[in-house]
Amino acid sequence: MPFNTEFNKKTYRIKIEGLIQGVGFRPFVYRIATGLKLNGSVENRNDGVVIKLKCTSTELSEFSNLIRKKAPPASHIESINHKEIDNIDFLDFHIVKSSSVSQTITDVSPDIAVCDDCLADMKTQLNRIDYPFINCTNCGPRFTIIQDLPYDREKTTMKEFVMCDDCRNEYTDILDRRFHAQPVACSVCGPEYSLFLNGEIIKARKEILDKTIQLLENKNILAIKGLGGFFIACDAFCEETVARLRKLKNREGKPFAVMFRCIETAKKYAHINAEEERSLFSLRRPIVLLKEKEKLAPSVNVGFNTIGAMLPYMPMHYLLFEKSGLDAIVLTSGNISDEPIITDNQQAIEVLGSICDGVLTYNRHIHNRTDDSVASIMNNKERIFRRSRGYAPVPVKLDTDVDGILATGAELANCFCIGKDKQAILSQHIGDLKNIETYEFFAETIEKYKKLFRFEPKIIVKDMHPDYLSTRYADEFDLPAIKVQHHHAHIASCMAENGINEPVIGVAMDGTGYGTDGNIWGSEFMVCDFNDFKRISHFEYMPMPGGDMVTYEPWRMAVAHLYKVYGLEFLDFNLPFLQNIDNEKVKFLCSAIDANINTPLSAGAGRLFDAVSALVNLCPKSRFHAEAPMRLEAAIDKTIPDTYNFYTGDTISFKPTIEQIVKDIKNNIPIHKVSTKFHNTVIEVILQTVSTISRQHNISKVVLSGGTFQNKFLAENIEQKLSQKGYTIYSQSKIPANDGGIALGQLIIAANKKR
Ligand code: ZN
Ligand code: FE
């Protein structure tokens, strides 16, 4: 009876928390509420979505169940709480418009992989059959096309495309899956691909697809426009073509990423556990580093036992695989060596067109450049190594006000970070600023963020390294500046990500970073909070003969270690790694160490790994950043439990380790054994040092960060073993442990210092 039902209705305030911003959550709530014929309102707040609903208790639980069950795929509900409030008489159910900027910034969603509903529509909807720009509220481009806020079609690069009547009807119908889907498009009104081939332009959709497939299947290399930039593609099984691509891209030792047709195919070539599968399949679709099972073309991963794998995420990827016999394609960033990936059509045709056999592009402009993101699963948790497409610019929520702070980050693998209220917005992966084009990308992206997020810097934060280009950039501002030590920033980044704010033991294992004593740090054991840090211990300083040259010639670090232990006597050991290096050059380096000429001191963990990788003759010369440590990691045999000796004290000495390694080399002990024993040694060093500091300072929370923790064997073992000993471990997951995460730490430290 109507009267009774009305009488039983009460007004409830329902609060939903989780990842629910910018994913079409309010229209979704509207559809559920109106479907149940309930009145009330829905509103976005900084801390979640607030719904007011007039209903009976039965209707309330029905409503909550539907919200949980049917939530948009890109959302993640953490909690739904309700309480009864004073009666409100609603006339309908409506969406309350958000007003403050801090609310609208959360509407900048990252790009989302095409959803299953759209893939189904691509087979059935007449105006979208095989139409590769299909999307809906649950999927499609976002950040890469957003020019300004509020997120509205007019403020995206879709504005040039005038919606046809069919699309507009969907766009304006709140009950439709494409309600307010800003990039909504169909074959009548939306963007189109073109294929540039030997001076010819192909524009017919079917011909483009057929031709592209035919080219890829027949040893050709194509530039293909992705969501955030161009990529270069070729058949991942054709060694001849992949080897040719290596030459064209001027990239020798670094593995290429591969896109597999589907998860089943990926499983034939890589070991994939449940968590890795989840990551591969997530809407963010990162490249996931997997253990190789079956070989692709050898030039794909150049001797590494891992595969950087991803699954299709754009409608075009699905079409390519669906209509071809290809099982996997190399899909690598469309750039020449270290430059940022190309986003501009004309530039792609000129630059990539000259090295590739064709360029597949489309006429929607990319506003924000994003590269593919890279992740690895360690201890069943996703760890981001390169944070870009699908992840940026999701803010990190803090409990500190960081408004108006610009943190410029490090120099290599740069990301910068801006503070907006209590949110830190970390930029997408920028890259190595020493490359001039990358530096321009850095400066121009800061300008874009200032506009997009209505951000005006009032405080600027920089690394202590005076010569980092990010530091020099910061120096150009006439603003209060705060200098932050590199490894303190690493640890603070991890603390901020994990929401802790109290004294902790910070372990920063890293390649390099400027220390307060003017030396290079990178193996820091510190007690710190956001205010300050105290360096308790570190690896012994070692001279780096030739300075920065050691990064490409790790053998120099091996010589430094040997010279320290044996003097020139090591020249008589007949060590294999020295056989191709001029004896006089080695002697010269040793005298340079004595004379202290161009031999800066480094405590970087990365340099120790370099030394050992060269010493066992695995990687005396390195072709890309961190190749030597990566090759050493790849040689590990997990079944070997042995360690080498070391000394601990105020500093940690690996002198006995080096002596024992030399002995093993002389005894022809295989590399995998030496590598494993060495890794076990570093793990033991960290366990012992942490336990000593914990006793002395009565702290049991341990924060791990720094690029060396991208070493899976090291990270997994240290986390497990420290946990077993009763420590609470925090490591980075959503924010990179490498220098890409530094800016977040700089930001939070500055926020605490300015008070
Ligand atoms: Zn969709
Ligand atoms: Fe670092």
Side-chain angles (χ1 to χ4, degrees):
M1 284 196 303
F3 176 79
N4 268 344
T5 324
E6 276 312 305
F7 182 75
N8 287 329
K9 280 187 196 272
K10 291 172 177 150
T11 308
Y12 294 96
R13 184 182 187 274
I14 304 160
K15 189 169 170 201
I16 306 179
E17 289 178 317
L19 225 173
I20 44 183
Q21 315 275 13
V23 291
F25 205 83
R26 283 169 301 168
F28 156 72
V29 170
Y30 178 95
R31 287 195 287 274
I32 299 292
T34 50
L36 295 170
K37 298 195 166 47
L38 298 173
N39 288 350
S41 68
V42 55
E43 183 183 2
N44 254 352
R45 299 276 187 91
N46 275 343
D47 51 349
V49 162
V50 171
I51 301 160
K52 287 174 187 155
L53 202 64
K54 187 129 186 212
C55 59
T56 65
S57 58
T58 324
E59 286 165 338
L60 178 68
S61 55
E62 197 182 349
F63 176 81
S64 303
N65 284 340
L66 283 174
I67 292 282
R68 276 197 188 278
K69 228 165 70 194
K70 300 202 159 170
S75 67
H76 173 75
I77 296 175
E78 274 158 21
S79 63
I80 304 182
N81 292 305
H82 66 265
K83 64 172 187 202
E84 201 185 322
I85 54 172
D86 288 346
N87 177 56
I88 308 174
D89 286 316
F90 293 101
L91 295 170
D92 59 1
F93 192 91
H94 60 273
I95 296 174
V96 180
K97 258 208 171 297
S98 51
S99 51
S100 94
V101 173
S102 63
Q103 280 165 37
T104 57
I105 62 168
T106 49
D107 284 348
V108 184
S109 158
D111 297 57
I112 308 166
V114 60
C115 73
D116 290 344
D117 290 337
C118 281
L119 288 173
D121 286 350
M122 197 159 66
K123 299 210 181 304
T124 53
Q125 283 190 344
L126 283 182
N127 57 342
R128 296 199 179 94
I129 301 279
D130 290 348
Y131 177 65
F133 293 91
I134 190 164
N135 67 83
C136 73
T137 344
N138 299 327
C139 76
R142 295 286 187 277
F143 176 57
T144 51
I145 60 164
I146 295 178
Q147 295 166 310
D148 200 1
L149 288 176
Y151 177 47
D152 211 348
R153 188 177 179 103
E154 283 310 300
K155 290 175 175 169
T156 71
T157 59
M158 277 299 293
K159 67 168 175 276
E160 297 161 38
F161 303 94
V162 180
M163 272 183 235
C164 68
D165 289 346
D166 288 339
C167 282
R168 180 155 298 282
N169 285 339
E170 294 169 303
Y171 181 84
T172 47
D173 176 4
I174 194 159
L175 298 177
D176 195 279
R177 206 176 81 247
R178 296 196 170 85
F179 173 71
H180 281 193
Q182 306 303 345
V184 68
C186 76
S187 61
V188 175
C189 64
E192 292 290 355
Y193 276 92
S194 336
L195 178 62
F196 288 75
L197 212 58
N198 312 319
E200 207 192 327
I201 307 173
I202 302 170
K203 289 198 175 272
R205 212 172 298 133
K206 180 155 185 324
E207 203 189 338
I208 287 176
L209 197 56
D210 292 347
K211 199 86 196 168
T212 303
I213 289 167
Q214 192 200 330
L215 287 165
L216 287 174
E217 284 178 341
N218 290 288
K219 302 186 175 181
N220 291 284
I221 296 170
L222 291 185
I224 299 182
K225 189 169 178 176
L227 277 172
F230 278 83
F231 293 85
I232 303 179
C234 73
D235 185 351
F237 292 94
C238 181
E239 174 57 19
E240 185 193 326
T241 315
V242 183
R244 183 159 71 93
L245 173 57
R246 287 221 165 265
K247 288 219 177 67
L248 292 177
K249 255 199 97 172
N250 190 15
R251 183 156 122 165
E252 271 185 279
K254 207 172 174 181
F256 283 140
V258 170
M259 180 179 277
F260 285 97
R261 152 185 293 277
C262 60
I263 187 80
E264 287 72 29
T265 311
K267 281 179 177 170
K268 277 194 231 162
Y269 296 94
H271 297 275
I272 302 177
N273 66 27
E275 205 49 46
E276 287 161 339
E277 181 165 343
R278 234 166 66 126
S279 188
L280 280 168
F281 250 132
S282 78
L283 299 165
R284 307 176 184 281
R285 292 284 204 286
I287 295 168
V288 182
L289 301 179
L290 303 169
K291 186 142 195 293
E292 177 187 70
K293 194 195 263 180
E294 200 70 57
K295 273 244 157 287
L296 301 161
S299 285
V300 171
N301 59 358
V302 278
F304 282 99
N305 53 2
T306 46
I307 298 179
M310 67 184 134
L311 293 175
Y313 54 88
M314 289 173 82
M316 183 51 109
H317 301 150
Y318 280 91
L319 290 172
L320 283 178
F321 283 114
E322 189 188 298
K323 310 209 184 251
S324 77
L326 296 160
D327 266 350
I329 53 172
V330 164
L331 205 58
T332 183
S333 311
N335 55 1
I336 309 297
S337 18
D338 284 334
E339 291 173 12
I341 65 169
I342 291 174
T343 53
D344 181 70
N345 285 350
Q346 199 50 45
Q347 201 191 359
I349 291 159
E350 281 163 23
V351 178
L352 301 178
S354 70
I355 60 167
C356 298
D357 304 311
V359 180
L360 178 61
T361 181
Y362 57 77
N363 59 347
R364 184 181 65 212
H365 177 64
I366 295 170
H367 184 70
N368 293 303
R369 171 188 281 129
T370 60
D371 209 328
D372 284 333
S373 294
V374 180
S376 171
I377 309 300
M378 299 179 187
N379 285 331
N380 284 320
K381 208 162 128 195
E382 185 180 87
R383 321 288 171 117
I384 296 299
F385 289 1
R386 182 165 75 199
R387 187 177 177 275
S388 196
R389 176 185 52 77
Y391 293 84
V394 175
V396 179
K397 292 189 177 149
L398 305 168
D399 52 16
T400 312
D401 185 6
V402 289
D403 204 64
I405 305 176
L406 167 63
T408 55
E411 185 173 74
L412 195 73
N414 176 280
C415 293
F416 64 86
C417 191
I418 64 169
K420 204 67 207 172
D421 296 342
K422 290 183 172 179
Q423 302 186 82
I425 303 168
L426 191 67
S427 78
Q428 71 268 40
H429 167 79
I430 304 282
D432 183 356
L433 300 184
K434 281 198 290 292
N435 176 288
I436 178 78
E437 284 82 5
T438 309
Y439 183 81
E440 281 164 11
F441 172 37
F442 165 78
E444 130 205 331
T445 308
I446 291 179
E447 291 307 314
K448 281 184 178 168
Y449 275 54
K450 278 163 75 175
K451 180 174 180 234
L452 184 58
F453 297 108
R454 311 284 190 275
F455 175 79
E456 201 41 62
K458 292 183 187 71
I459 293 175
I460 195 145
V461 202
K462 57 188 182 181
D463 193 275
M464 270 183 184
H465 199 306
D467 297 328
Y468 269 6
L469 289 169
S470 50
T471 305
R472 297 231 184 116
Y473 175 88
D475 289 339
E476 284 170 24
F477 283 76
D478 190 17
L479 284 174
I482 293 172
K483 269 197 264 185
V484 174
Q485 200 281 322
H486 189 97
H487 302 99
H488 187 205
H490 269 304
I491 300 302
S493 169
C494 187
M495 291 169 69
E497 182 189 343
N498 287 287
I500 50 167
N501 182 4
E502 62 189 283
V504 297
I505 298 173
V507 181
M509 291 290 138
D510 203 19
T512 168
Y514 197 82
T516 52
D517 58 0
N519 292 324
I520 297 165
W521 292 10
S523 53
E524 308 316 303
F525 293 87
M526 55 175 78
V527 168
C528 69
D529 56 18
F530 289 140
N531 273 307
D532 207 0
F533 73 95
K534 190 164 183 263
R535 189 189 196 201
I536 311 287
S537 187
H538 59 88
F539 296 176
E540 201 172 46
Y541 283 123
M542 288 302 294
M544 296 200 307
D548 282 345
M549 283 176 85
V550 299
T551 35
Y552 290 99
E553 298 189 5
W555 66 268
R556 289 166 179 264
M557 283 314 297
V559 165
H561 277 272
L562 290 169
Y563 186 54
K564 182 129 188 166
V565 180
Y566 302 103
L568 284 175
E569 205 189 317
F570 73 90
L571 289 168
D572 304 330
F573 294 172
N574 280 326
L575 292 167
F577 89 98
L578 285 172
Q579 267 154 24
N580 294 321
I581 294 157
D582 183 9
N583 225 341
E584 288 310 308
K585 197 170 179 184
V586 176
K587 281 185 194 156
F588 175 78
L589 283 195
C590 294
S591 54
I593 292 173
D594 287 337
N596 199 11
I597 297 168
N598 196 19
T599 49
L601 293 178
S602 168
R607 295 295 81 75
L608 176 67
F609 283 75
D610 280 351
V612 175
S613 190
L615 192 53
V616 297
N617 204 19
L618 198 55
C619 192
K621 290 193 181 158
S622 145
R623 291 165 295 181
F624 64 93
H625 176 71
E627 178 175 4
M630 281 168 68
R631 296 235 176 243
L632 196 61
E633 181 189 357
I636 287 172
D637 173 355
K638 287 182 185 171
T639 60
I640 297 167
D642 311 350
T643 58
Y644 294 117
N645 295 340
F646 55 87
Y647 300 138
T648 52
D650 286 348
T651 61
I652 296 144
S653 165
F654 290 93
K655 189 169 175 258
T657 317
I658 299 294
E659 283 171 339
Q660 289 178 312
I661 291 176
V662 168
K663 214 165 168 189
D664 275 354
I665 295 172
K666 284 179 176 171
N667 290 331
N668 291 318
I669 302 295
I671 288 179
H672 67 86
K673 198 158 183 191
V674 178
S675 167
T676 317
K677 282 166 82 177
F678 168 70
H679 277 86
N680 289 338
T681 307
V682 175
I683 293 164
E684 198 47 42
V685 162
I686 292 174
L687 293 182
Q688 280 193 22
T689 312
V690 165
S691 100
T692 307
I693 298 173
S694 173
R695 269 198 313 275
Q696 286 166 351
H697 294 263
N698 201 18
I699 302 173
S700 63
K701 293 193 171 172
V702 184
V703 177
L704 310 173
S705 189
T708 303
F709 285 105
Q710 290 182 181
N711 181 316
K712 185 169 166 147
F713 181 77
L714 211 64
E716 289 193 331
N717 275 287
I718 289 168
E719 288 177 12
Q720 286 166 14
K721 288 179 177 163
L722 284 172
S723 300
Q724 281 159 12
K725 290 186 175 221
Y727 300 102
T728 313
I729 307 305
Y730 300 92
S731 34
Q732 311 230 242
S733 155
K734 296 188 173 90
I735 302 299
N738 60 43
D739 284 5
I742 285 270
L744 173 63
Q746 293 178 338
L747 187 90
I748 188 87
I749 289 169
N752 279 272
K753 281 201 173 149
K754 77 175 173 164
R755 287 190 208 164

